[in-house]
Amino acid sequence: MNMSIIKYDPLKIEKKWQGYWDKRKLYKATDFSKKSKSYILLEFPYPSGDGLHVGHCRPYATLDAIARKKRMQGYNVLFPMGWDAFGLPTENYAIKNRVHPNVATKNNIANFKRQMKSLGLSFNWDREINTTDPKYYKWTQWIFLQLFKNGLAYKKKMAINWCPSCKIGLANEEVVDGKCERCGAQAEQKEKEQWMLAITKYADRLIKDLDTVNYLDRIKTQQINWIGKSFGAEVDFKVENSDKKITVFTTRVDTIFGVTAVVIAPENVLVREIVSREKEKEVQEYINESKKKNEFERTQLEKEKTGVFSGSYAINPINKERIPIWVGDYVVASYGGGAVMMVPAHDERDYQFAKKYNLDIKEVVSGGDTIKSAFCEYGKLTNCGEFSGLSSQEAIEKITKWLEENKCGQKKVQYRLRDWVFSRQHYWGEPIPIIHCPVCGMVPVLEKDLPVKLPYVKKYQPTGTGESPLDAIKKWVNVKCPTCRGSAKRETDTMPNWAGSSWYFIRYTDPKNNKQIADPKKMNYWLPVDWYNGGMEHTTLHLLYSRFWHKFLYDIKVVPQPEPYLKRTSHGMVLAQDGQKMSKSRGNVINPDEIVKQYGADTLRVYEMFMGPFDQAIAWDTNGMIGVRRFLDRLWNFSVNCSDQKKSSKEALSVLNHLVKKVTEDLDQMKFNTAVAAFMEFSNFISEHQNDIGKDIIEKLLILLAPFAPHIAEELWQRLIGKKSIHLQPWPEYNEKLIKNELVTLIIQVNSKVRDKIEIVADIAEEEVRKIVLSREKIKQLVKEEEIKNIIFVKGRLINIIV
Ligand code: ANZ
Ligand code: ZN
């Protein structure tokens, strides 16, 4: 049979090998294996009705290559996958298409799984989890109960962001530029009792412990800024003719002599207590108006600041000055004390406010011109009584001390981070396992009664009143109180879609455990996650939430370490060919199914790695992908034609040695694109040196390629070698010594013109090369040493002497 007529046909081989690997459980992660463990984690997807798109495939293909290489290097690799399936999109889809969310979820998962399998990803499917499975959410509810019992889950009436279109409350993070993240409607404010999780209690540790993990710098920075630790002081302003006081938070207590008003947020409960009778109506109208705006609109520097005088006055504790109290919605109710001391001379927003309402502007820090704008920098204090002449830094310290001594203020650390609004008035989420008893109050469901299962119902549309659809299911809602056995009612709010993903990586260590969230021995073996890759958009939400839960679970001695992930990286997006974001509405989405059918999964995988630097957004390019397919075709052809007899040349072995080093190092550093480029270069080398290439080189080449293009590598391996699967072969080593002693041809230029060539050891240092080159006769004639202006040296390639 003439081998050369066998063509590369991915459709014929890919399914076959996927079945083969599955059957032999090639990628099984073994609990307690003696090998070193490596836990590699990808964010599990939300199984939407649209299926995967090629953007998903980028982190999948790349981290799959990492996991495969680690296995070949002898690690016991955990590389699991599952489904983050609760949440609004499925509920909305179910309502629109009149299918139950349960059914929609099942179908979507089946489709996602089929697609993932078609890519030949080496997931541990025997550890698959699904956050909507009662056996899973039993433990999500269990964690909630522990939070509740430890005082970290509480109910609070608060103004929440409200989407008038989805008819649900939104967490701050779900409001983007003042709009509902899901449907784009303008978010409003609404008062509602909400379940809250006290993530702020962990704010400091969430910052500090970043020192102990290896996250990309931009990820650390985003988390630190999001938590937003500010150092400052709290100051009490007594309300005149009243026993009330207004507490403000300031980072610039050095400006306290320049305060010309106190401004309080419209939602602050104090407003009602201090407003004068004459001003009541006006203030109420103002409050109603500001309800229509969201926090973003209120606090943006460019937006006009508005307010209304309350009719009352406060006393500045430091100089006993009488200053007006205003109500203004540029002050945020939930930050600091929900009030500010207004210093128009030194704060930009205060300046705008004062200008608009003709309030005094009093300069107390010199260094700028406060007639035209606020001077916001540090400077020297003036008009500040005994504190005049101090620098801002000194004054902050001394004035804070004065306030503390006079019991009207204190040092204060303030965080921007808020507690996490943890309830949703929706059907498709984990029921919150609390029972409301008229006698006993809020009673946790007994742990033996978990899970509190979602009732199977026909109607799961939002009620529109703001209450959960569960509220209407009386059979489910009415229960006996676990404590007094009297009539009581279930909590009808459900958890947000961030709940199940806050601990799923723990469950993979022991996914079927019915007695505990996971066996402590297994957690001890597998945790923490060694490498976690996910989207940048999850940095301040999921990544922070899961770190918080993990720390809590550590505190109650459930998990073995305080940090869940040792390393965190983030991939860039895949944009459409036109450079826009891929979206259904633009019609520019590329479906991986079509690519797999037409070009093969290996082509898609290698292209996703080749398209550009991993952390950058890259536009899809069909031509680039076709180029990758051609490369695989070429590789196929010379491999199937490779003869047993030929002996590899020394040169070819040395080039291969280079490739091993390059691919190994590039994979470790996530430089997938340059690794693929090195393969392509090598394939060019093969074409030009056919007689130098023996079977031993092809064999190594296939092993190197296996993590990138697992199907074609296996097929060729079985044709040529035919022993155990290629994916069970050890990862090739390279010989560092060979690389060091290798000779290269160095080009010698003078003023960028090639003048000479020389064979030298590749690894030689610049100093040495310089000496050797300048002592060569040819060069000596052209260059006088004292005339040299500059020398450009490219290791292993060239030296250019500029005179
Ligand atoms: C007086 C002052 C004078 C301020 C000055 C600044 C400059 P960060 O860094 O974000 O913590 N502030 C305090 N509470 C607020 C609230 N609830 N809503 C809106 N603004 C509030 O900023 C702290 C500063 O933000 C505080 O310091 C306060 O203004 C304002 F020359 O107090 B400052
Ligand atoms: Zn009771």
Side-chain angles (χ1 to χ4, degrees):
M1 186 171 84
N2 181 353
M3 297 281 268
S4 65
I5 58 168
I6 306 165
K7 272 190 72 182
Y8 172 42
D9 183 357
L11 269 186
K12 275 215 184 106
I13 62 169
E14 291 184 347
K15 276 263 139 34
K16 176 180 77 181
W17 292 118
Q18 285 158 17
Y20 176 95
W21 302 328
D22 255 7
K23 213 152 85 215
R24 280 165 185 75
K25 299 200 167 43
L26 227 55
Y27 311 123
K28 198 171 160 52
T30 314
D31 296 327
F32 313 123
S33 151
K34 290 262 164 7
K35 293 178 181 178
S36 301
K37 69 97 183 179
S38 180
Y39 185 175
I40 297 170
L41 183 66
L42 280 171
E43 281 173 350
F44 63 161
Y46 186 88
S48 71
D50 301 336
L52 288 181
H53 81 49
V54 290
H56 289 101
C57 302
R58 196 175 185 196
Y60 295 168
T62 44
L63 272 287
D64 184 57
I66 302 268
R68 286 175 177 279
K69 166 173 157 280
K70 280 262 167 192
R71 278 191 211 98
M72 294 168 92
Q73 286 179 317
Y75 286 87
N76 181 29
V77 173
L78 177 56
F79 187 47
M81 186 39 73
W83 317 105
D84 186 17
F86 271 133
L88 258 193
T90 301
E91 185 162 320
N92 291 339
Y93 174 88
I95 291 169
K96 208 166 134 202
N97 297 289
R98 294 173 185 283
V99 290
H100 196 277
N102 245 326
V103 177
T105 298
K106 214 181 239 161
N107 294 341
N108 293 346
I109 286 177
N111 187 42
F112 265 64
K113 195 167 173 182
R114 175 192 62 74
Q115 290 188 294
M116 285 185 183
K117 289 204 154 182
S118 79
L119 295 174
L121 302 168
S122 63
F123 292 134
N124 307 121
W125 285 114
D126 57 331
R127 292 175 186 251
E128 177 180 352
I129 57 174
N130 171 352
T131 56
T132 67
D133 179 350
K135 294 198 194 95
Y136 179 89
Y137 69 67
K138 169 180 178 172
W139 298 106
T140 311
Q141 291 174 332
W142 181 84
I143 296 171
F144 179 89
L145 286 185
Q146 311 313 310
L147 287 161
F148 180 75
K149 290 171 187 171
N150 284 277
L152 293 169
Y154 62 96
K155 257 194 147 170
K156 186 180 165 196
K157 186 153 200 155
M158 60 174 305
I160 58 155
N161 305 299
W162 173 256
C163 173
S165 154
C166 298
K167 297 206 164 39
I168 48 156
L170 304 169
N172 280 337
E173 305 87 67
E174 293 169 301
V175 181
V176 177
D177 290 350
K179 298 193 175 89
C180 170
E181 180 196 49
R182 299 216 152 81
C183 75
Q186 197 70 28
E188 294 172 356
Q189 299 282 304
K190 184 171 167 137
E191 285 255 309
K192 179 122 189 49
E193 281 263 308
Q194 293 288 333
W195 281 98
M196 309 287 293
L197 295 188
I199 188 172
T200 51
K201 291 224 168 103
Y202 282 76
D204 212 30
R205 284 167 68 190
L206 286 168
I207 291 179
K208 229 193 258 145
D209 288 357
L210 285 173
D211 286 343
T212 68
V213 292
N214 172 20
Y215 292 3
L216 294 182
D217 281 342
R218 62 191 164 125
I219 295 175
K220 285 192 185 183
T221 308
Q222 266 196 25
Q223 289 209 339
I224 291 167
N225 291 344
W226 182 261
I227 296 168
K229 189 175 184 177
S230 286
F231 298 89
E234 253 176 10
V235 187
D236 298 332
F237 287 76
K238 277 177 100 74
V239 179
E240 192 186 51
N241 304 324
S242 153
D243 56 356
K244 306 274 179 247
K245 60 179 190 192
I246 300 169
T247 303
V248 304
F249 171 72
T250 177
T251 46
R252 291 296 304 273
V253 77
D254 56 314
T255 65
I256 191 166
F257 284 87
V259 174
T260 56
V262 170
V263 187
I264 58 182
E267 300 87 352
N268 194 324
V269 287
L270 274 175
V271 173
R272 242 170 285 154
E273 294 164 13
I274 57 147
V275 63
S276 72
R277 190 150 329 130
E278 310 81 71
K279 287 283 179 182
E280 239 167 42
K281 202 170 148 241
E282 204 183 327
V283 167
Q284 191 54 51
E285 275 165 14
Y286 179 76
I287 292 174
N288 293 343
E289 272 311 297
S290 70
K291 272 203 182 123
K292 295 182 191 152
K293 294 187 247 171
N294 56 55
E295 192 176 311
F296 180 78
E297 287 176 305
R298 283 167 48 166
T299 53
Q300 278 301 90
L301 199 57
E302 307 81 53
K303 295 269 151 91
E304 189 179 29
K305 308 286 164 296
T306 63
V308 57
F309 177 45
S310 72
S312 297
Y313 290 83
I315 306 299
N316 187 340
I318 202 128
N319 55 11
K320 309 293 179 279
E321 262 174 36
R322 182 174 183 260
I323 48 179
I325 303 172
W326 282 65
V327 179
D329 65 12
Y330 74 101
V331 180
V332 178
S334 55
Y335 189 69
V340 302
M341 56 181 226
M342 197 196 66
V343 187
H346 304 292
D347 180 273
E348 191 50 47
R349 290 185 297 181
D350 294 348
Y351 181 85
Q352 292 171 23
F353 193 78
K355 275 281 174 202
K356 174 153 182 190
Y357 296 109
N358 244 330
L359 300 169
D360 289 345
I361 299 175
K362 201 175 140 197
E363 184 182 82
V364 290
V365 179
S366 56
D369 173 9
T370 56
I371 308 285
K372 288 198 208 79
S373 66
F375 171 66
C376 303
E377 262 128 75
Y378 281 175
K380 204 174 230 170
L381 268 63
T382 66
N383 305 317
C384 293
E386 59 183 288
F387 299 98
S388 294
L390 294 179
S391 71
S392 289
Q393 288 97 322
E394 291 168 321
I396 286 173
E397 206 171 290
K398 296 233 159 91
I399 293 174
T400 306
K401 203 157 154 237
W402 186 95
L403 292 169
E404 279 171 352
E405 280 162 9
N406 289 276
K407 306 222 161 5
C408 49
Q410 63 193 34
K411 227 186 192 147
K412 168 90 180 170
V413 177
Q414 180 70 44
Y415 297 91
R416 192 180 98 92
L417 185 71
R418 320 277 170 84
D419 276 351
W420 175 6
V421 182
F422 195 68
S423 42
R424 299 290 183 274
Q425 291 70 48
H426 266 273
Y427 173 75
W428 195 231
E430 301 88 343
I432 290 178
I434 294 288
I435 290 168
H436 298 276
C437 169
V439 181
C440 312
M442 289 197 282
V443 183
V445 170
L446 298 177
E447 286 182 15
K448 71 170 178 58
D449 292 338
L450 295 180
V452 177
K453 280 196 196 166
L454 263 183
Y456 194 91
V457 288
K458 292 242 160 60
K459 219 177 143 212
Y460 37 78
Q461 279 82 344
T463 54
T465 60
E467 288 309 324
S468 157
L470 292 176
D471 199 55
I473 307 164
K474 296 302 164 209
K475 239 173 54 200
W476 184 83
V477 169
N478 295 320
V479 285
K480 294 262 173 289
C481 166
T483 308
C484 73
R485 307 304 301 162
S487 302
K489 283 190 185 316
R490 282 193 192 285
E491 170 64 56
T492 59
D493 281 359
T494 53
M495 300 187 198
N497 61 324
W498 309 107
S501 58
S502 290
W503 72 282
Y504 75 113
F505 51 91
I506 299 172
R507 189 67 175 171
Y508 284 135
T509 67
D510 193 12
K512 299 190 177 81
N513 196 323
N514 211 15
K515 301 206 172 65
Q516 293 163 293
I517 73 170
D519 178 347
K521 287 200 217 82
K522 292 183 185 171
M523 288 193 265
N524 219 4
Y525 178 78
W526 287 114
L527 294 177
V529 173
D530 294 281
W531 188 339
Y532 190 20
N533 184 80
M536 223 32 218
E537 70 277 17
H538 293 141
T539 303
T540 54
L541 310 173
H542 158 65
L543 199 63
L544 208 55
Y545 294 154
S546 55
R547 289 184 61 221
F548 158 47
W549 277 35
H550 203 74
K551 287 187 179 309
F552 166 68
L553 291 172
Y554 173 72
D555 290 349
I556 61 166
K557 304 203 161 46
V558 172
V559 298
Q561 307 93 0
E563 281 291 333
Y565 322 115
L566 287 184
K567 171 172 174 175
R568 169 78 178 187
T569 56
S570 235
H571 53 269
M573 260 201 289
V574 178
L575 304 171
Q577 188 128 1
D578 55 9
Q580 305 259 32
K581 219 175 143 168
M582 278 191 198
S583 79
K584 247 169 108 184
S585 59
R586 287 204 184 91
N588 57 8
V589 175
I590 295 185
N591 185 337
D593 286 349
E594 283 158 32
I595 307 294
V596 169
K597 212 163 104 199
Q598 201 176 343
Y599 300 93
D602 284 338
T603 294
L604 177 59
R605 292 172 59 114
V606 175
Y607 173 60
E608 296 257 2
M609 296 190 236
F610 182 55
M611 61 188 352
F614 181 67
D615 59 348
Q616 288 172 27
I618 306 285
W620 178 269
D621 171 24
T622 300
N623 280 332
M625 192 212 31
I626 292 171
V628 167
R629 171 60 199 260
R630 250 187 255 124
F631 154 69
L632 291 179
D633 280 325
R634 240 181 302 142
L635 188 101
W636 173 275
N637 290 338
F638 61 65
S639 296
V640 294
N641 287 321
C642 165
S643 91
D644 272 349
Q645 275 75 41
K646 223 179 281 167
K647 212 168 157 285
S648 301
S649 74
K650 254 214 173 110
E651 189 196 1
L653 284 170
S654 144
V655 178
L656 176 75
N657 192 47
H658 265 286
L659 183 70
V660 176
K661 179 175 154 81
K662 176 86 180 143
V663 171
T664 307
E665 290 177 351
D666 281 0
L667 273 182
D668 289 336
Q669 295 164 26
M670 306 199 90
K671 293 188 196 155
F672 306 98
N673 56 328
T674 54
V676 174
F679 278 119
M680 291 175 166
E681 257 177 57
F682 191 73
S683 115
N684 290 340
F685 174 83
I686 291 178
S687 315
E688 288 159 19
H689 299 76
Q690 306 232 2
N691 291 327
D692 293 338
I693 308 296
K695 197 166 148 187
D696 50 340
I697 284 189
I698 300 296
E699 196 179 319
K700 278 255 172 67
L701 172 65
L702 291 176
I703 294 178
L704 285 179
L705 190 74
F708 296 77
H711 310 87
I712 188 175
E714 182 80 286
E715 175 73 23
L716 290 170
W717 175 265
Q718 296 292 344
R719 282 170 182 268
L720 290 177
I721 319 285
K723 282 182 285 187
K724 278 192 302 187
S725 165
I726 191 168
H727 301 295
L728 298 174
Q729 304 304 316
W731 188 251
E733 310 256 338
Y734 53 88
N735 188 341
E736 194 73 64
K737 244 202 192 135
L738 259 181
I739 287 169
K740 284 215 172 106
N741 298 330
E742 195 173 284
L743 289 184
V744 289
T745 309
L746 188 88
I747 291 168
I748 304 172
Q749 299 179 328
V750 176
N751 287 343
S752 305
K753 268 211 186 92
V754 178
R755 296 295 188 179
D756 199 0
K757 275 181 195 167
I758 174 179
E759 293 265 301
I760 54 163
V761 177
D763 205 41
I764 193 166
E766 177 169 355
E767 270 306 290
E768 280 300 305
V769 177
R770 213 190 253 230
K771 268 192 224 149
I772 296 169
V773 167
L774 292 177
S775 62
R776 286 174 79 81
E777 274 314 312
K778 241 189 188 168
I779 302 300
K780 269 193 192 158
Q781 286 168 15
L782 290 162
V783 177
K784 286 206 184 78
E785 282 206 39
E786 57 276 12
E787 287 169 359
I788 297 174
K789 288 207 189 102
N790 192 12
I791 292 185
I792 298 157
F793 179 64
V794 183
K795 202 172 183 173
R797 293 235 165 124
L798 69 80
I799 185 164
N800 184 6
I801 304 159
I802 311 288
V803 291

